[in-house]
Each structure stands twice: as structure tokens, then as C-alpha cells.
Amino acid sequence: MTVGFSNPPSRRASRAVFATVAAAVFMSNLDLFIVNAALPAIGHSFDGSGLGSLSWILNGYAIAFAALLVVAGRVADRSGHKPVFLTGLAVFTLASVGCALAPDVGTLVAARLVQAAGAALLMPTSLALLLDTTAPEKRAGAVRAWASIGGIAAGLGPVAGGLLVEAGWRWVFIVNVPVGIAAFALGVTVLPSPGRAGAQKSPLPDLFGAALLTGSIATLALGLVKAPDWGWTNARTFGGLAAAVLLGVWLVV
């Protein structure tokens, strides 16, 4: 990620940017852990859903998030950190509404994939925006504070998830909505829009490579998760694992 820094920002501006970034990063990191606590309740709500299907609520998010991070960072370098951050925040918040309203497991998994795309747009741009408004001598501390948000979210995730599930598993996703709206409204006002000199000269994101990586990880996870139900010698299991290997080799080539 490229970072620009021109005029020294005021302390109030730096704090406002950090509050916006922290809220968004905490929300997206919390979602990685808070859903774990809600999974049994989700399974009970959708009768007949096996563990293999429910696991994609977690696996789908993790796979899409990891595969899109580098692509999202490249897009932000070309298009600007602020618009990409706000887009990611809006996508994540709207997808949270979709998760909360999901009528079945398939819809919930699809909404989680959209959530992951929003989170992938948020994470790299959040750090770049934070550094844009932090004086050079304070950037190391800012990075440490940014990184610590993930640890705090990981620690609070199971606890918050357990409390919210008492009111209903859909609250695990509804809780993101007011935080996302508040962060978006604040971000429109306080986030910097630094110049992007030379940004258009940066390489285009490798969308095809990201698709291959996503497909390889997804088919590998599918084969491993479904193997106990299908059987390790079943053609579907073998096909999933073979597809994972072929897509991975294609990615390397």
C-alpha cells in the first residue's frame, strides 16, 4: 500500500480517523470469531442443515477474505484509500443486514461471502488511512494500536457471541449495522483524501489469479469437509481434491 503524507494533521483529526478505522477494523475482525458462538443456534434454526453445510458460514468467509485481500489493496492503490474503505464499509454493513435476514443456510453463506469482500476492502485501506494522518515519528505506535484491535476482537468474540445468541443468533449480525452506519457517516467527514501521484501506473490487480486461489482453497475445503459424508473414495471427494490441486498448479504457473 502506498502512503502519502503532506501537512502534519491535527491531533483531533488523527483521533477522529483512528476512531473511524478502529470501529471498522474491530467490527470486521469480531465477525471472524463471534459467529463461532452462534453456529449451534443457526443449525437449530435451520432444521436439517448438516455440519458440513453450516461450516461454510465460517469457511466461506475466511476463504473469500484471504483471497481478496491482495486484490483489494491493489485496487485501493489505484483508486484511492478513502473511497475503497467507504465502499468496503458499506458492503460489509449491507451484507450484515442480508445475513440477519437470511431465510436459509445457502442465503446466509452467500451473504457471508459478500461480507468477506467488504472486509477485504476495509483491512488494507484502514492501515493506509491511519498512516496518512499520523506523524512519521508516531507511526510505529499507530501500527501497534491497529494490530491490537484484532487481538481485542478475538478475545471478545466468543463472549459477545454468547451474549447475543441469548437474544437470537440474528443479533450477531444486526449488531454490525449501527456500528457500520456510524463509522461510514464519520468516515465521510474525517477521512483524508490524499493525492495518488503515480497510482494509475501501478499494475492492475490480478483478478484471475485471485479467482484461481479462491477456487483452489474452496474445492480443497469442500473435499475435506464433505469426505466423511461422501466417503474418501467417492468420485465427488476425489474430484474436489483433484480440482484443488489443478487450480493450485495453474495459479503457480
Side-chain angles (χ1 to χ4, degrees):
M1 298 294 292
T2 55
V3 177
F5 185 85
S6 52
N7 297 323
S10 67
R11 180 175 297 181
R12 178 177 296 179
S14 296
R15 288 177 176 175
V17 171
F18 181 80
T20 304
V21 167
V25 172
F26 180 82
M27 180 176 64
S28 58
N29 275 284
L30 185 69
D31 218 62
L32 285 167
F33 304 98
I34 197 172
V35 179
N36 290 328
L39 207 60
I42 295 173
H44 181 73
S45 177
F46 299 131
D47 292 334
S49 299
L51 182 59
S53 299
L54 291 173
S55 68
W56 285 99
I57 299 172
L58 306 175
N59 294 337
Y61 184 97
I63 291 170
F65 178 72
L68 293 175
L69 268 178
V70 174
V71 174
R74 183 66 68 190
V75 169
D77 282 342
R78 292 179 61 87
S79 304
H81 302 141
K82 179 177 180 178
V84 173
F85 177 87
L86 292 176
T87 298
L89 190 53
V91 168
F92 188 92
T93 303
L94 290 173
S96 296
V97 175
C99 290
L101 298 177
D104 51 55
V105 173
T107 305
L108 179 55
V109 171
R112 287 282 286 167
L113 294 177
V114 178
Q115 250 193 339
L121 292 171
L122 280 175
M123 292 303 293
T125 51
S126 64
L127 180 59
L129 286 167
L130 182 61
L131 296 181
D132 282 338
T133 53
T134 303
E137 66 274 11
K138 296 182 178 179
R139 286 180 177 171
V143 172
R144 287 194 295 269
W146 177 85
S148 69
I149 295 172
I152 295 172
L156 291 179
V159 178
L163 292 174
L164 290 170
V165 166
E166 292 297 321
W169 66 263
R170 297 181 191 275
W171 283 97
V172 168
F173 302 105
I174 294 174
V175 71
N176 294 330
V177 178
V179 177
I181 292 174
F184 186 91
L186 185 60
V188 169
T189 304
V190 304
L191 294 180
S193 300
R196 295 182 290 110
Q200 296 300 326
K201 297 180 181 179
S202 60
L204 287 168
D206 182 12
L207 297 177
F208 184 61
L212 289 175
L213 176 61
T214 304
S216 178
I217 298 174
T219 51
L220 175 63
L222 176 65
L224 294 177
V225 169
K226 287 293 187 179
D229 297 327
W230 292 343
W232 286 98
T233 58
N234 186 277
R236 290 175 293 179
T237 303
F238 179 79
L241 298 178
V245 173
L246 291 174
L247 290 171
V249 171
W250 194 354
L251 172 65
V252 173
V253 172

